[in-house]
């Protein structure tokens, strides 16, 4: 008898088209592996794909979600990167191994899990072996599942592209997954970190190592930042909101500062006054996660330093709709779907 599993599928765009279905456990083919999924972390992008499609051409029935941690339970022919029993995490942009991103000026590449490729919100998934990296041994599946997108995005911005170092000042805007990973990675590299957040979260970001926290609701938050930096401003800024917030980040940037445009919660049309952008020689760096080599570098750093990802809340697989609702509730860290109580298939 074929063994069965549960998998979330969409047969169209919209939350009402999302259904948890029973499907046969797939078998890996050549150069593929079967992963028993232990946990999947959610990104705001997942909610956007489910509810609006995000302009992507989806092949229905479509499974959303991109960030998994789990254990390999079977391998296909000629699969050599991993062995049965190895713990792994997924690559968000799986074909981007290293170097420059694929694509052209006319058509930038956006071939991601849970977007161009089917996603991972299931008890088991089959993936090409090259689309996975080894999970940090000290992290459980829920913690490790937060690394493929949010953590890599912060790492790729600050470390891979920005070269953050001791003596730099980093401004983190918000307390979502990318923001808190940015805080932790900046501190690992010896930077001074300022976090702009809601007042009720100030003590929590200080507990993670933030040197200063600014109430993002206060009208004069920019003056507060100038005062804390002796009018120098921030050398690195994680811009996780987008829209007109880019202009605020330009005002906050130091001369020669770098802004990493990551989020689009305030809209995909970003704007900024031109004069401070030009006069301060500010670099605006677009960040769309990162490649597999950077993910492997980051995993080593996480393992060596003992860094622990921050999880806002966990939900069982069946409660995905509740987890999606939580994405809009002012997060402190990541939301994780936990499937760790599922047994591995019998040999």
């Amino acid at each position: 008898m074929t063994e069965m599993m549960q998998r979330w599928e969409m047969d169209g765009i919209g939350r009402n088209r999302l259904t948890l279905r029973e499907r046969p456990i797939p078998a890996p083919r050549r150069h593929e592996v079967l992963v028993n999924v232990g946990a999947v972390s959610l990104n705001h992008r997942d909610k956007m794909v489910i509810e609006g499609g995000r302009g992507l051409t989806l092949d229905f029935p479509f499974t959303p979600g991109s960030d998994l941690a789990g254990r390999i339970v079977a391998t296909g022919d000629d699969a050599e990167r991993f062995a049965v029993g190895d713990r792994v995490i997924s690559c968000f942009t799986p074909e981007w191994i290293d170097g420059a991103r694929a694509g052209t000026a006319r058509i930038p590449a956006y071939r991601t899990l849970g977007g161009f490729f089917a996603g991972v919100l299931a008890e088991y998934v089959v993936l090409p072996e090259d689309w996975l990296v080894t999970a940090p041994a000290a992290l459980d599946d829920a913690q490790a599942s937060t690394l493929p997108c949010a953590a890599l995005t912060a790492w790729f911005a600050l470390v891979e592209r920005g070269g953050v170092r001791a003596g730099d000042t980093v401004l983190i805007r918000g307390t979502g997954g990318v923001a808190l990973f940015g805080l932790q990675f900046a501190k690992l590299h010896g930077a001074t970190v300022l976090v702009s957040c809601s007042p009720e979260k100030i003590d929590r970001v200080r507990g993670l190592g933030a040197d200063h926290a600014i109430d993002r609701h206060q009208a004069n938050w920019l003056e507060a930042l100038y005062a804390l930096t002796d009018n120098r401003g921030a050398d690195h800024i994680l811009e996780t909101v987008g829209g007109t917030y880019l202009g605020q980040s330009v005002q906050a940037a130091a001369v020669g500062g770098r802004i990493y445009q990551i989020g689009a919660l305030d809209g995909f049309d970003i704007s900024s006054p031109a004069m401070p952008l030009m006069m301060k020689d500010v670099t605006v760096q677009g960040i769309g996660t990162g490649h597999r080599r950077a993910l492997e570098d980051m995993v080593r750093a996480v393992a060596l330093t003992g860094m622990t990802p921050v999880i806002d809340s966990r939900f069982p697989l069946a409660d995905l709709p509740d987890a999606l609702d939580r994405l809009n509730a002012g997060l402190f860290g990541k939301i994780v779907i936990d499937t760790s109580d599922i047994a591995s298939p019998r040999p």
Side-chain angles (χ1 to χ4, degrees), residues 241-328:
V241 182
T244 59
Y245 284 77
L246 174 63
Q248 298 178 18
S249 290
V250 169
Q251 297 284 358
V255 173
R258 299 177 66 93
I259 299 170
Y260 309 99
Q261 181 59 52
I262 294 167
L265 298 177
D266 195 50
F268 286 97
D269 294 325
I270 58 177
S271 61
S272 167
M275 283 300 287
L277 182 67
M278 296 185 296
M279 294 300 100
K280 292 199 287 184
D281 192 23
V282 172
T283 298
V284 179
Q285 171 78 60
I287 298 291
T289 62
H291 45 55
R292 192 184 79 187
R293 194 265 302 156
L295 179 61
E296 292 169 332
D297 290 348
M298 184 197 75
V299 165
R300 283 193 294 271
V302 169
L304 288 171
T305 60
M307 195 191 90
T308 303
V310 179
I311 294 177
D312 176 273
S313 49
R314 303 186 188 201
F315 296 82
L317 183 63
D319 288 352
L320 175 62
D322 293 336
L324 294 172
D325 290 339
R326 177 64 190 162
L327 282 170
N328 286 339

Side-chain angles (χ1 to χ4, degrees), residues 26-37 40 63 65-77 79-82 88-92 94 112-114 117-122 124-133 148:
R29 297 172 297 183
R30 189 166 181 261
H31 295 304
E32 293 181 337
V33 294
L34 174 64
V35 180
N36 177 198
V37 179
V40 176
T63 297
S66 59
D67 299 6
L68 72 76
R71 190 176 301 275
I72 292 176
V73 293
T75 60
D77 292 341
E80 299 177 345
R81 276 175 54 83
F82 304 101
V88 292
I89 60 175
S90 55
C91 297
F92 180 79
T112 64
L113 286 175
F117 300 108
V120 299
L121 274 164
Y124 296 91
V125 296
V126 164
L127 293 172
E129 59 179 345
D130 287 342
W131 293 14
L132 300 161
V133 304

Side-chain angles (χ1 to χ4, degrees), residues 160-240:
E160 183 77 19
R161 293 292 189 243
V164 65
R165 58 188 178 181
D168 289 350
T169 298
V170 178
L171 172 62
I172 306 293
R173 306 196 65 175
T175 58
V178 175
L180 294 189
F181 278 119
L183 162 58
Q184 292 174 292
F185 290 143
K187 292 305 298 181
L188 287 181
H189 287 79
T192 298
V193 179
L194 296 84
V195 178
S196 170
C197 62
S198 300
E200 68 273 12
K201 298 177 181 177
I202 287 177
D203 288 343
R204 298 179 73 182
V205 297
R206 285 177 173 158
L208 283 175
D211 297 279
H212 306 285
I214 302 172
D215 180 355
R216 70 180 183 89
H217 298 300
Q218 69 182 65
N220 62 342
W221 76 269
L222 192 57
E223 289 298 325
L225 179 139
Y226 291 157
L228 289 169
T229 61
D230 294 326
N231 289 321
R232 187 171 184 274
D235 301 295
H236 306 267
I237 301 174
L238 289 189
E239 179 45 70
T240 57

